[in-house]
Amino acid sequence: MTEINLNYQSKDLREIYFGEGHHKYFFGPETKRQSWMLVIALGLYPVFLVYSIQLEDNWLMILGTIYLGLVMYDFQRKTRPIIYWKKSVEAFLERVDNNSEHGLKIDEDGITFIQGDTETILQWSIIKRASINADYIGLTADSNLLFPKNSMTDKEFDELKKIVKRKVAQVMKD
């Protein structure tokens, strides 16, 4: 059995989670198209209103309102998962800040993550995939685990990397 004491820093975790801008609602990597469509729709809507008033015809106003509504719905549909994800990450980071003790126990059957008084036990067979890069190791199962390189020594990180590569079927390397 291998035991690793983790020195979690919430700033390291924030950099991993929010470093690429996936937490942004407007003009983020996931919402750039919807943000531009919303800006265009909000810019065109007054034109539709003024033009329909001048023509004394309601069909342009209705058409502009429908277009704006569809664009707003698409934007909201795209940002809702980001909002939920960001809230869950913030709750996780708060738990990290509140617990000073973090540890990891690795054996042939699985991996145990210790956070204060709470233990999360994952069998190797239920871990769906792992992400390994130069900054962190992430395990995806029913509950996801993230181990930044800065939270352990280089030797421990390399050892954990070897074990994960050997035990998890689907390993994504960056």
Side-chain angles (χ1 to χ4, degrees), residues 102-164:
H102 297 90
L104 195 58
K105 293 180 184 176
I106 306 162
D107 58 16
E108 290 299 315
D109 296 329
I111 188 166
T112 304
F113 176 62
I114 303 163
Q115 186 175 22
D117 296 334
T118 308
E119 287 188 3
T120 304
I121 301 170
L122 295 177
Q123 302 296 322
W124 292 116
S125 59
I126 65 167
I127 297 175
K128 297 173 186 158
R129 71 175 186 265
S131 300
I132 298 175
N133 66 24
D135 298 326
Y136 66 89
I137 297 173
L139 301 177
T140 304
D142 296 334
S143 59
N144 300 332
L145 298 176
L146 183 69
F147 308 113
K149 183 176 183 177
N150 296 343
S151 67
M152 59 188 93
T153 65
D154 289 338
K155 181 181 176 186
E156 291 171 334
F157 186 77
D158 290 336
E159 185 177 335
L160 180 60
K161 202 169 21 173
K162 288 176 189 174
I163 293 171
V164 168

Side-chain angles (χ1 to χ4, degrees), residues 13-46:
L13 292 169
R14 276 186 197 286
E15 189 174 310
I16 290 170
Y17 281 116
F18 301 138
E20 296 175 4
H22 292 290
H23 66 289
K24 295 180 182 176
Y25 307 131
F26 294 100
F27 300 105
E30 307 289 325
T31 61
K32 192 173 286 190
R33 184 183 73 81
Q34 284 79 12
S35 297
W36 278 114
M37 293 297 288
L38 185 61
V39 167
I40 291 168
L42 288 172
L44 288 177
Y45 190 68

Side-chain angles (χ1 to χ4, degrees), residues 63-103:
L63 185 66
T65 304
I66 290 172
Y67 175 70
L68 180 63
L70 289 174
V71 169
M72 288 174 62
Y73 171 75
D74 187 40
F75 181 77
Q76 178 264 341
R77 180 186 59 82
K78 214 44 171 167
T79 56
R80 183 183 298 163
I82 296 170
I83 292 169
Y84 290 135
W85 172 79
K86 188 175 178 181
K87 283 182 182 179
S88 69
V89 168
E90 290 293 340
F92 169 70
L93 292 174
E94 186 176 318
R95 283 194 313 269
V96 166
D97 286 339
N98 291 338
N99 292 315
S100 60
E101 294 182 26
H102 297 90

Side-chain angles (χ1 to χ4, degrees), residues 51-63:
Y51 195 64
S52 69
I53 290 171
Q54 286 177 350
L55 291 178
E56 295 180 6
D57 197 1
N58 292 337
W59 70 271
L60 278 176
M61 183 174 65
I62 292 170
L63 185 66

